[in-house]
């Protein structure tokens, strides 16, 4: 079973999703960025490394959500999701076709990878995502205007 991490990256109350390209194993499906954990690598460091490799941004993995086991045809993964805060850099796609910052309540309108979709429905994961997005949005509103970066 492959151990995999995924990042639920939040900025200004929005959630980042990335889209696979036409030549991937999942053409045009959306996912949360992340990837495989190297042997002996802590999950949170793997997540921060994978996000940097895929998007060239820095994040901090702040809170773990409930993991899931998911069976794809020919492979089984153990998916460990983390709520993350974007800390530095501008997104440059190195592996994906596109990305979007979305209202987390709209996530079910996207063609997400099955494992990511199942993770959202695991336990109270989705409720925790909504609360985290709301808390960062409120925190962002409390900052002085001069520290806001327009996207």
């Amino acid at each position: 079973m492959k151990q995999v991490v995924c990042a639920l990256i939040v900025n200004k109350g929005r959630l980042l999703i990335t889209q696979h390209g036409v030549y991937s194993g999942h053409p045009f499906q959306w996912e949360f960025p992340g990837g495989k954990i190297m042997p002996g690598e802590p999950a949170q460091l793997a997540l921060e490394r994978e996000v940097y490799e895929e998007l060239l941004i820095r994040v901090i993995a702040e809170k773990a959500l409930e993991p899931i086991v998911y069976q794809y045809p020919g492979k089984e993964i153990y998916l460990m999701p983390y709520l993350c805060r974007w800390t530095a850099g501008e997104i440059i796609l190195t592996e994906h076709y596109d990305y979007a910052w979305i209202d987390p309540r709209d996530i079910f309108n996207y063609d997400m990878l099955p494992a990511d979709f199942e993770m959202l429905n695991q336990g109270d994961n989705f409720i925790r995502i909504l609360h985290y997005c709301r808390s960062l949005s409120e925190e962002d509103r409390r900052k002085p205007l001069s520290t806001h970066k327009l996207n």
Side-chain angles (χ1 to χ4, degrees):
M1 179 180 328
K2 291 185 181 181
Q3 291 190 336
V4 178
V5 288
C6 72
L8 290 96
I9 302 168
V10 175
N11 186 38
K12 297 181 183 170
R14 298 284 184 166
L15 191 58
L16 179 68
I17 57 174
T18 53
Q19 187 180 38
H20 285 267
V22 67
Y23 299 111
S24 78
H26 307 280
F28 300 113
Q29 283 190 289
W30 294 88
E31 71 173 351
F32 299 109
K36 297 178 192 104
I37 300 172
M38 304 272 207
E41 184 179 33
Q44 288 174 288
L45 290 179
L47 179 117
E48 292 168 5
R49 174 187 52 76
E50 283 285 347
V51 168
Y52 186 77
E53 289 174 2
E54 293 179 9
L55 305 172
L56 300 180
I57 62 172
R58 298 287 180 194
V59 298
I60 296 174
E62 292 191 316
K63 298 178 183 182
L65 295 175
E66 288 185 49
I68 64 159
V69 173
Y70 190 83
Q71 182 71 48
Y72 281 105
K75 70 177 176 182
E76 185 175 54
I77 65 169
Y78 181 70
L79 179 64
M80 293 175 272
Y82 286 88
L83 294 169
C84 301
R85 184 187 303 248
W86 179 14
T87 61
E90 294 298 320
I91 294 174
I92 297 173
L93 300 174
T94 64
E95 297 180 17
H96 293 91
Y97 175 74
D98 201 3
Y99 72 93
W101 289 102
I102 65 167
D103 183 309
R105 294 168 295 193
D106 293 335
I107 192 73
F108 298 104
N109 297 328
Y110 288 83
D111 182 18
M112 299 293 292
L113 288 181
D116 287 8
F117 183 75
E118 186 166 309
M119 178 276 299
L120 290 169
N121 289 301
Q122 176 69 27
D124 66 350
N125 280 352
F126 187 65
I127 298 298
R128 291 180 64 199
I129 293 164
L130 291 176
H131 287 293
Y132 186 75
C133 289
R134 187 175 307 120
S135 72
L136 289 187
S137 178
E138 290 169 3
E139 181 180 304
D140 195 50
R141 281 194 294 269
R142 288 191 298 266
K143 292 178 185 173
L145 189 57
S146 62
T147 65
H148 283 258
K149 182 167 188 236
L150 299 176
N151 287 340

